[in-house]
Amino acid sequence: MTSPSPDTIENVIIVGSGPAGYTAALYTSRANLKPLVVEGFLWGGLLQQTTDVENYPGFPEGIEGPELMQRFRDQAERFGTRFITDQATKVELCDEPAGVHKVWVGDDEYRAHTVILAMGAEHKKLEVRGEEELSGRGVSYCATCDAAFFKEKPTMIVGGGDSAMEEAIFLSKFASKVIVVHRRSEFRASKIMLERARSIENIEWLTPYAVEEFHAGEKGGLEVARLRNTEQDETREIAIAGAFIAIGHEPQSHLVKGQVDLDDEGYLITEGRSTRTRKPGVFGAGDLVDHTYRQAVTAAGSGTQAALDAEWYLRDTPGIPKPAGLPQGDLAEAQWAPIRES
Ligand code: NAP
């Protein structure tokens, strides 16, 4: 993309590029709104770091996460979506109806009547001693990305959800052993994922333990994890070369903090069943909003809702030049009004 003209006001800028962002792009591009997606360097969101996706409808044999995201992107591009493969660095949201919102990518300022926020969520940190220092030197948040560095080496996974099971199963193909360390004896993971992990010989289980600290060896890489029993007064040290943290996610809402409503955990708050935020013309979708379902298919669904909310806003707000191609007239009104007002 070339630098923007200061006179250009986009219909819609979408910040973020997981299933929510790309689906919002697909719908708004099919509505002739020519969306601009600020997709980040590592576009595609967390699915880029996943292997088999078996629960996205329409793919009975399953599909690799990166291939699924490539398909989402291609489909949005086919209808005229434009992409900036870089990070949004600043967002300024306007309070006035029909106002102009601003999104910066470095020094370039982009302006739009509507913004769809779909920045998603990132891996949560344990926040224990040694974690940050050893990140990239034994501590990792992505087995799919880093497992190959741990061939025939002892490793551990921290966490008890589906992500932890998925990571353990993948890692077990490379590491000599994978110890799943979880702070409770019950697991949050689904039965099918837990059973799959339990059937693998080189996966071991250590509960109820929490990591207290990671230690480096003489060469500077991870060598030891100190664990604390969460039910008894006992600590132990285990020798490992790799530790993969899979304890959930946190929303990437820092760009809009103080401008829209966020809950205590930083998730974006939207109005009722809509994707509207408290700023007119600003909508939220995907994992940035949803801490309950957090599935690719639900994120895609909310991307659709945000696209439709943005369309209706552009169509119905006095003072905004009406983009061609939007649903118009009584039929559209009868169809959309009850949903829009809910
Ligand atoms: P999650 O379900 O929230 O599980 C997080 C796990 O990490 C829990 O076991 C939690 O322990 C533990 N944990 C959280 N904070 C911790 C801390 N500070 N120290 C130690 N442990 C901590 O997150 P997720 O596994 O990432 O899954 C998120 C969603 O994605 C779920 O809906 C899941 O089903 C879905 N998902 C599906 C698949 C699949 O089907 N293939 C794969 C991955 C994810 P407690 O249980 O004690 O709270």
Side-chain angles (χ1 to χ4, degrees):
M1 287 269 317
T2 51
S3 293
S5 148
D7 301 328
T8 305
I9 302 177
E10 305 286 347
N11 295 315
V12 53
I13 294 180
I14 297 163
V15 186
S17 62
Y22 285 149
T23 306
L26 170 63
Y27 273 73
T28 49
S29 58
R30 289 196 75 245
N32 284 342
L33 295 177
K34 301 184 175 51
L36 180 62
V37 179
V38 183
E39 61 178 355
F41 284 126
L42 303 173
W43 56 265
L46 288 175
L47 273 182
Q48 286 287 30
Q49 301 173 15
T50 310
T51 47
D52 292 340
V53 178
E54 294 178 338
N55 51 11
Y56 200 86
F59 297 93
E61 315 301 332
I63 183 167
E64 299 277 307
E67 191 193 340
L68 183 61
M69 291 328 296
Q70 183 70 59
R71 284 172 175 249
F72 269 64
R73 191 180 189 275
D74 291 347
Q75 196 172 353
E77 190 169 34
R78 177 180 156 205
F79 297 101
T81 299
R82 294 156 303 141
F83 302 96
I84 299 174
T85 310
D86 205 340
Q87 303 298 125
T89 46
K90 187 175 150 194
V91 172
E92 207 175 275
L93 303 173
C94 181
D95 280 313
E96 303 303 319
V100 173
H101 309 289
K102 296 174 183 171
V103 175
W104 279 265
V105 177
D107 292 335
D108 290 339
E109 177 189 312
Y110 297 86
R111 305 190 301 157
H113 291 299
T114 65
V115 173
I116 295 175
L117 301 169
M119 290 90 83
E122 259 304 329
H123 299 289
K124 210 162 121 185
K125 310 276 187 300
L126 274 175
E127 303 199 357
V128 297
R129 213 150 9 127
E131 181 183 16
E132 198 179 332
E133 299 85 319
L134 290 169
S135 178
R137 287 189 289 144
V139 174
S140 168
Y141 301 86
C142 177
T144 320
C145 319
D146 297 335
F149 298 122
F150 299 93
K151 269 193 188 132
E152 299 305 325
K153 292 184 177 157
T155 58
M156 71 186 230
I157 298 278
V158 185
D162 280 339
S163 296
M165 298 309 121
E166 192 175 62
E167 297 274 277
I169 293 164
F170 188 79
L171 189 57
S172 69
K173 295 173 190 151
F174 297 84
S176 56
K177 69 173 171 185
V178 180
I179 306 168
V180 176
V181 175
H182 180 39
R183 63 185 178 183
R184 294 187 296 137
S185 298
E186 297 77 41
F187 285 85
R188 193 181 287 266
S190 58
K191 201 162 169 263
I192 184 170
M193 294 292 280
L194 196 55
E195 276 173 7
R196 229 178 259 177
R198 284 203 192 282
S199 71
I200 296 174
E201 236 169 58
N202 65 338
I203 298 184
E204 299 174 11
W205 306 82
L206 194 53
T207 66
Y209 282 90
V211 177
E212 273 199 336
E213 193 171 351
F214 292 114
H215 286 291
E218 276 178 8
K219 291 184 185 158
L222 174 65
E223 253 183 39
V224 171
R226 199 174 76 232
L227 309 178
R228 174 179 49 82
N229 190 313
T230 58
E231 289 173 5
Q232 294 166 18
D233 185 19
E234 181 233 334
T235 56
R236 63 170 72 181
E237 295 197 337
I238 55 172
I240 41 158
F244 291 81
I245 320 294
I247 59 167
H249 302 92
E250 51 199 356
Q252 295 302 289
S253 51
H254 49 273
L255 276 178
V256 291
K257 197 173 174 188
Q259 303 189 65
V260 287
D261 293 328
L262 304 178
D263 72 10
D264 291 345
E265 290 177 68
Y267 287 90
L268 188 70
I269 297 174
T270 51
E271 279 175 35
R273 289 171 55 215
S274 81
T275 64
R276 288 186 301 255
T277 68
R278 73 172 153 89
K279 298 276 181 186
V282 179
F283 308 92
D287 286 4
L288 183 69
V289 180
D290 171 23
H291 44 80
T292 309
Y293 301 104
R294 294 181 295 187
Q295 304 297 304
V297 67
T298 51
S302 75
T304 305
Q305 290 174 281
L308 293 174
D309 282 340
E311 262 187 58
W312 299 331
Y313 175 87
L314 289 166
R315 189 195 64 188
D316 296 343
T317 308
I320 298 182
K322 296 290 162 276
L326 290 186
Q328 305 280 346
D330 294 346
L331 182 61
E333 189 53 34
Q335 188 178 358
W336 303 132
I339 305 169
R340 197 178 55 238
E341 280 148 22
S342 65

